[in-house]
Amino acid sequence: MTTVALQLIKRHRNIAYATETGRIPPSVMLSCHAGHAARPGMRLAEMLIRQARWTARAIDDAAKRGQLLVVPNPEFPVERFTDRWPESQLQQTTYSRHLHTLANGLEAARTGDVQLEDLQEWLRGQFGDRVVTRSVKAFNQRLGRQVQSRQHGYTRSGGLFVPAAPAIIGAATSLAPVAARAHTNMGERR
């Protein structure tokens, strides 16, 4: 789940910075944080939240000290994965806010504190329209087949029991509805 969550974090970053110019948070930094945040047995949503909060906390801690985020290469500590990004406090705190928004929204979705239509719209803003639309369509088709074949169930409170695997997981790893701008693993635009 760590790798899939990392792909979603990168997708989220690409959507957040799709119209921005300049450097973006480097993939190699996100990968390093994902490795540190990894915990076997976690579900995808939990891992995605954990990775988002891990990087956001690292940025917030650096900002509290009045410093820019520094992420050294764990295999060669003299090398920094963040030697080109962030360039300023504003740049790093902006990305931290994006990550906090993502994690908080996913927490709200997990606890059911959001209407389905609002959740779909929010997910489109975080991961792109096509990914979410295809995921919702696939989910609805899967649920419809279960109901038609009478293989569905009900919760104790009388609600319809839905399939456990959210469709956005599979779709997000193979689709790219918004053309991601080319960049190097260090956040530099090509």
Side-chain angles (χ1 to χ4, degrees):
M1 287 301 144
T2 300
T3 302
V4 177
L6 174 60
Q7 290 173 333
L8 289 169
I9 288 283
K10 290 178 182 181
R11 174 82 183 143
H12 172 262
R13 179 217 42 206
N14 291 347
I15 294 294
Y17 287 88
T19 60
E20 301 292 322
T21 59
R23 298 191 186 279
I24 63 174
S27 293
V28 68
M29 174 198 74
L30 297 174
S31 297
C32 181
H33 281 176
H36 291 305
R39 184 181 289 167
M42 290 186 83
R43 302 180 118 191
L44 181 59
E46 294 167 337
M47 181 52 67
L48 186 55
I49 292 166
R50 183 172 169 85
Q51 286 183 22
R53 293 207 191 283
W54 191 283
T55 300
R57 267 195 306 272
I59 292 170
D60 294 345
D61 289 346
K64 285 177 190 171
R65 295 188 309 273
Q67 299 173 346
L68 296 179
L69 178 65
V70 174
V71 179
N73 178 341
E75 295 299 316
F76 187 63
V78 176
E79 178 186 23
R80 291 185 312 142
F81 291 151
T82 51
D83 62 341
R84 297 183 189 133
W85 184 97
E87 298 169 317
S88 68
Q89 289 284 339
L90 177 62
Q91 198 176 44
Q92 71 181 10
T93 56
T94 298
Y95 187 54
S96 174
R97 281 193 302 272
H98 284 302
L99 292 172
H100 283 299
T101 298
L102 175 64
N104 292 342
L106 291 170
E107 286 283 353
R110 282 183 42 194
T111 61
D113 283 349
V114 63
Q115 295 295 316
L116 182 58
E117 293 81 8
D118 296 336
L119 175 60
Q120 289 177 35
E121 193 59 35
W122 181 81
L123 286 170
R124 284 183 177 99
Q126 302 303 304
F127 299 107
D129 186 52
R130 186 170 162 206
V131 169
V132 175
T133 299
R134 287 188 58 151
S135 295
V136 169
K137 183 178 179 182
F139 175 83
N140 288 338
Q141 288 172 342
R142 188 169 57 247
L143 180 59
R145 283 191 302 272
Q146 283 189 334
V147 170
Q148 288 173 346
S149 64
R150 295 188 176 111
Q151 294 177 343
H152 63 289
Y154 295 94
T155 64
R156 290 182 182 195
S157 61
L160 188 61
F161 180 77
V162 295
I168 191 164
I169 304 324
T173 60
S174 62
L175 296 176
V178 174
R181 294 173 57 192
H183 61 87
T184 66
N185 65 350
M186 298 303 282
E188 192 172 82
R189 302 272 186 198
R190 289 186 185 171

